[in-house]
C-alpha cells in the first residue's frame, strides 16, 4: 500500500477511545470478553487498511465482536474517523504489527481471522513478512480456537499460490478455494468487499479466496 503520512495521525490514534492503546496491549490477552463486556465470538482482520470490510461486518453482525489490526496510524485514522461519525460497540482497533499477535491474544481466543489483500512482499527474501506465510500461520494456530477458520482474499495470483503452498506443511487444510470469487454466485452472496477488492475487481481482476482450518490430527 502506498503510504501518505498524515500529520497528527499518530497523536489522533493515541487519543482515540476506539483504539486499544499499546501500553495496555499485554493486558488484553485472555480478556477480550471483558473488553467487549460479553462472551460473543471474537473475529479479527489483520491489515485492515481503512476498515471498510470490518466496519461493514461489525454493523451486519452485532452478535460478533470484531478487532481490526493495522500497522500504520495514517491508515487506521480513516477507520477511526468513520467510528467517530457512527460508533459501533462491537468493533475495536489495534495499531500494531501482526508479528505481535501473541502479546495481545491468548490461546484459542479468536474465532476467525480475515486476511484481505495482504501486502505481497514480492522479493523472496521478504517471504516471511507475507501475512499468509507459514511463519504467520504458526501464530494464527495459537490464537485460533479449535475449529476456528481463516479466510484470505487477494487478486494477486502469485501471492495466492504461495499461500496455498504454505498450508499443508504448516498443518492446515483448505475447506474452500476459488480463483474467481465474484464469478461464483453462491460464494459471492454475502461477500463484503474491501477497498482493494472494489478497486481491483473494477479493473477486471478475478478475486481469489481460500477458507482454511487446522487439520484435525495436528491440533
Ligand atoms: N485489507 C485492506 C483492503 O483489502 O482494502 C487493505 C489492504 S492493504 C494492501 C494491506 C494493509 O495491511 C496495509 O494497510 C498495511 O499497512 C497492512 N499491513 C501489512 N502488514 C501488516 C502487519 N504485519 N501488521 C499489521 N498490518 C499490516
Amino acid at each position: 500500500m502506498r503510504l501518505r503520512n498524515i500529520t497528527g495521525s499518530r497523536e489522533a490514534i493515541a487519543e482515540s477511545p476506539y483504539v486499544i492503546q499499546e501500553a495496555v496491549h499485554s493486558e488484553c490477552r485472555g480478556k477480550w470478553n471483558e473488553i467487549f463486556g460479553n462472551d460473543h465470538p471474537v473475529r479479527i482482520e489483520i491489515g485492515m487498511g481503512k476498515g471498510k470490510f470490518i466496519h461493514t461486518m461489525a454493523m451486519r453482525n452485532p452478535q460478533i465482536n470484531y478487532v481490526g489490526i493495522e500497522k500504520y496510524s495514517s491508515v487506521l485514522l480513516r477507520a477511526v474517523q468513520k467510528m467517530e461519525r457512527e460508533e459501533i460497540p462491537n468493533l475495536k482497533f489495534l495499531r500494531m504489527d501482526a508479528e505481535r499477535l501473541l502479546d495481545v491474544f491468548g490461546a484459542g481466543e479468536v474465532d476467525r481471522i480475515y486476511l484481505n489483500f495482504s501486502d505481497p512482499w514480492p522479493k523472496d527474501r521478504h517471504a516471511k513478512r507475507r501475512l499468509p506465510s507459514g511463519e504467520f500461520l504458526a501464530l494464527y494456530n495459537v490464537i485460533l480456537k479449535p475449529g476456528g477458520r481463516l479466510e484470505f482474499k487477494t487478486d494477486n495470483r502469485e501471492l495466492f499460490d504461495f499461500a496455498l503452498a504454505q498450508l499443508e506443511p504448516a498443518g492446515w487444510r483448505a475447506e474452500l478455494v476459488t480463483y474467481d470469487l465474484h464469478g461464483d454466485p453462491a460464494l459471492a452472496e454475502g461477500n463484503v468487499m474491501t477497498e482493494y477488492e472494489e478497486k481491483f475487481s473494477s479493473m477486471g481482476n478475478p478475486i481469489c479466496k481460500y477458507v482454511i482450518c487446522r487439520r484435525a490430527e495436528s491440533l
Side-chain angles (χ1 to χ4, degrees):
M1 171 181 263
R2 268 166 65 87
L3 259 189
R4 196 165 54 86
N5 187 38
I6 298 175
T7 311
S9 59
R10 192 167 273 272
E11 293 76 8
I13 294 302
E15 285 164 13
S16 172
Y18 308 117
V19 181
I20 297 183
Q21 299 301 324
E22 198 169 345
V24 294
H25 278 184
S26 59
E27 293 168 29
C28 298
R29 274 181 86 215
K31 300 273 173 50
W32 284 96
N33 287 345
E34 278 176 40
I35 291 167
F36 282 105
N38 58 50
D39 60 0
H40 300 171
V42 175
R43 299 185 177 175
I44 68 175
E45 184 188 9
I46 304 173
M48 56 173 269
K50 295 175 189 167
K52 177 176 179 287
F53 172 84
I54 200 157
H55 199 95
T56 310
M57 293 295 278
M59 298 269 278
R60 277 192 191 173
N61 305 296
Q63 76 293 358
I64 293 169
N65 297 322
Y66 290 90
V67 182
I69 299 172
E70 170 54 49
K71 190 155 66 165
Y72 294 111
S73 299
S74 300
V75 185
L76 181 55
L77 183 63
R78 298 300 178 214
V80 166
Q81 288 169 335
K82 214 185 290 180
M83 275 275 263
E84 285 165 356
R85 291 191 291 275
E86 188 176 11
E87 193 170 339
I88 306 175
N90 57 323
L91 175 60
K92 308 256 180 235
F93 302 120
L94 291 167
R95 194 205 57 76
M96 64 169 221
D97 194 307
E99 285 177 352
R100 294 191 32 247
L101 278 176
L102 301 193
D103 297 346
V104 182
F105 295 99
E109 216 176 1
V110 173
D111 172 71
R112 193 169 299 177
I113 297 174
Y114 298 101
L115 303 178
N116 290 319
F117 295 80
S118 306
D119 292 332
W121 292 106
K123 292 185 178 146
D124 282 350
R125 69 172 188 278
H126 292 147
K128 288 182 184 172
R129 297 185 193 173
R130 298 172 191 153
L131 290 176
S133 69
E135 285 76 8
F136 275 105
L137 287 175
L139 304 184
Y140 307 150
N141 185 43
V142 176
I143 64 171
L144 264 187
K145 72 176 193 191
R149 288 165 26 179
L150 186 154
E151 301 191 9
F152 171 49
K153 291 194 280 191
T154 182
D155 69 319
N156 185 316
R157 184 59 191 266
E158 276 183 31
L159 179 65
F160 193 63
D161 288 342
F162 165 86
L164 285 173
Q166 301 292 294
L167 299 183
E168 194 170 340
W172 296 69
R173 70 180 160 79
E175 285 198 336
L176 174 131
V177 177
T178 177
Y179 296 91
D180 187 10
L181 174 63
H182 297 179
D184 182 324
L187 297 180
E189 197 187 325
N191 177 53
V192 172
M193 293 235 254
T194 77
E195 277 97 354
Y196 271 62
E197 187 170 356
E198 281 184 341
K199 179 175 163 192
F200 291 117
S201 61
S202 73
M203 291 161 58
N205 297 6
I207 305 302
C208 305
K209 176 176 179 177
Y210 73 40
V211 177
I212 60 170
C213 58
R214 295 289 295 168
R215 283 206 311 263
E217 68 271 22
S218 57
L219 286 174

